[in-house]
Amino acid sequence: MRAALRPARRHRPTVRGEELQSLTGEPVEVETDDGVRLHVEVDPADRPDAPTVVFQHGYALTADSWHFQRLALRGRYRLVLPELRGHGRSARGPAGPVTIARLADDLGQVIDAVAPEGPVVLVGHSLGGMTVMELTVRRPDLLDRLEGVALVATSAGGMSAVDHGLPMLGHHLVRWAELALERAAGRTDVLERSRRVGGDLEQRLVRHWNFAGPVTPELLRLAARMMAGTPVDVIADLLPAFGTLDEREALANLAGRPVLVLAAERDLMTPAAHGREIAEAVPGAEHVLVRGAGHLVMLEHPSVVTARLERLLERVGTQRVPSADEVVVPVPGPRTRRRRR
């Protein structure tokens, strides 16, 4: 059975400006086996037996993409927020293509450094979700400690066929971008200057490809700032990884533990159908589809994502298994008053 509830009306999220001030925790620098220094932030828990929740952000983003979930969960759980190599405050690695396997190795080494023991819950968005899936293959020694997984707006494969909202053309975008960046090799300073000059256009593109409805200017600026802060050559080095992505065999490693698969109905980057495929491959996974949401669903509709993460964390260490049916979460609209006649 498939439950289907739709929001009554579109609405503009109400996010106060002060809520978007950067959150800070204990900074930790983790050096990987190939010498890259990764920036990690750790928020301690109020109780010593709390599980560690590791939030891995997505492509061209930073740990700030988890702002609202971090705000809601800090103190209740031990939170670990690493930034991918070349992103945010993490250093870049050697020049050249970066594989998801390499990112998974990085994530494993972060866990070794800051959470060497005790239960762990992994939360990944987009590229971060792909990294989490690959980690279960490359580090089977961590599976006994893995007590929950949340995969948000992500994919296990088939990304080369995604049209990014442009039928007949979109599936060529990644290859066109790769070729353009290859031709611009050695001239990244010119590309970076062009991005600054085209700031308004970049914000429009950020809105189009990451949000499905109206968002506050603060949210739009946050998303644009994260993406603009990711160097062009880092973006280029990661592009080929999406075309070869295939984490479907990794999904078997998620069986037997609480798993949340949360997809956004109007996601142009990792379509909702990819989330459904992941959920169908993991027995007992909770599948949540957020209506009227785009790729940055955790920023666009933070209360929905946070509530589902809380449900997942409540199940950690228990035998409770949710229905395998897809749950469609409505985004509430404002109440309207009836006119008096």
Side-chain angles (χ1 to χ4, degrees):
M1 182 179 68
R2 176 174 174 172
L5 301 173
R6 292 181 178 273
R9 285 180 57 181
R10 305 288 312 162
H11 74 294
R12 187 180 183 86
T14 54
V15 179
R16 297 190 304 273
E18 63 267 28
E19 291 180 336
L20 294 179
Q21 297 298 320
S22 292
L23 300 175
T24 58
E26 177 191 352
V28 179
E29 190 176 80
V30 175
E31 185 171 349
T32 65
D33 58 356
D34 65 345
V36 176
R37 295 181 181 275
L38 302 177
H39 180 83
V40 183
E41 294 224 346
V42 179
D43 292 345
D46 294 336
R47 55 188 178 89
D49 61 338
T52 295
V53 184
V54 182
F55 287 88
Q56 187 63 80
H57 68 79
Y59 183 51
L61 298 172
T62 72
D64 286 340
S65 61
W66 296 111
H67 179 92
F68 297 106
Q69 291 70 45
R70 184 182 185 182
L71 192 63
L73 299 176
R74 64 190 332 196
R76 297 159 60 189
Y77 302 92
R78 184 170 184 261
L79 307 182
V80 173
L81 297 102
E83 293 187 321
L84 297 169
R85 56 175 59 205
H87 293 66
R89 289 155 287 185
S90 290
R92 288 196 56 197
V98 177
T99 64
I100 292 173
R102 176 65 260 180
L103 299 181
D105 288 344
D106 290 352
L107 180 56
Q109 289 165 37
V110 166
I111 293 172
D112 291 341
V114 302
E117 57 185 22
V120 174
V121 176
L122 298 178
V123 182
H125 168 254
S126 190
L127 177 59
M130 301 167 194
T131 301
V132 165
M133 289 181 268
E134 178 66 17
L135 178 66
T136 68
V137 175
R138 299 184 69 79
R139 291 293 303 274
D141 58 298
L142 294 176
L143 292 178
D144 288 342
R145 297 173 51 209
L146 183 58
E147 297 207 356
V149 174
L151 301 172
V152 180
T154 191
S155 171
M159 288 293 292
S160 60
V162 175
D163 65 16
H164 303 287
L166 299 171
M168 305 299 294
L169 293 175
H171 62 284
H172 296 298
L173 281 180
V174 171
R175 183 56 188 152
W176 290 341
E178 289 175 5
L179 290 172
L181 290 167
E182 285 172 8
R183 291 173 183 172
R187 294 182 292 159
T188 54
D189 57 330
V190 176
L191 291 176
E192 294 292 0
R193 285 198 299 272
S194 298
R195 292 174 79 187
R196 288 193 290 271
V197 171
D200 290 342
L201 174 61
E202 186 166 33
Q203 284 206 12
R204 291 192 185 95
L205 294 176
V206 167
R207 184 196 301 275
H208 174 73
W209 268 299
N210 292 284
F211 299 108
V215 295
T216 63
E218 292 86 358
L219 278 181
L220 186 58
R221 286 195 294 269
L222 172 63
R225 185 167 64 246
M226 288 188 287
M227 294 176 190
T230 308
V232 168
D233 39 3
V234 170
I235 291 173
D237 287 347
L238 273 164
L239 271 177
F242 295 104
T244 58
L245 174 72
D246 190 351
E247 298 296 336
R248 284 166 284 207
E249 291 187 6
L251 298 177
N253 297 325
L254 303 182
R257 55 181 54 81
V259 174
L260 166 67
V261 181
L262 190 146
E265 180 190 32
R266 295 170 59 188
D267 189 341
L268 300 180
M269 309 306 290
T270 51
H274 290 227
R276 187 185 313 116
E277 291 171 2
I278 293 173
E280 289 174 350
V282 182
E286 181 179 19
H287 183 197
V288 175
L289 176 66
V290 184
R291 295 285 192 197
H295 189 58
L296 294 185
V297 58
M298 67 284 195
L299 288 175
E300 189 174 14
H301 299 298
S303 60
V304 173
V305 176
T306 298
R308 290 291 158 164
L309 286 177
E310 289 173 331
R311 282 169 53 113
L312 174 75
L313 291 166
E314 288 170 0
R315 291 169 50 212
V316 168
T318 74
Q319 298 300 313
R320 285 181 293 155
V321 178
S323 167
D325 295 336
E326 181 175 321
V327 179
V328 182
V329 179
V331 179
R335 293 181 179 179
T336 57
R337 296 180 179 177
R338 288 186 177 180
R339 290 183 178 179
R340 294 181 178 178
R341 294 185 179 276

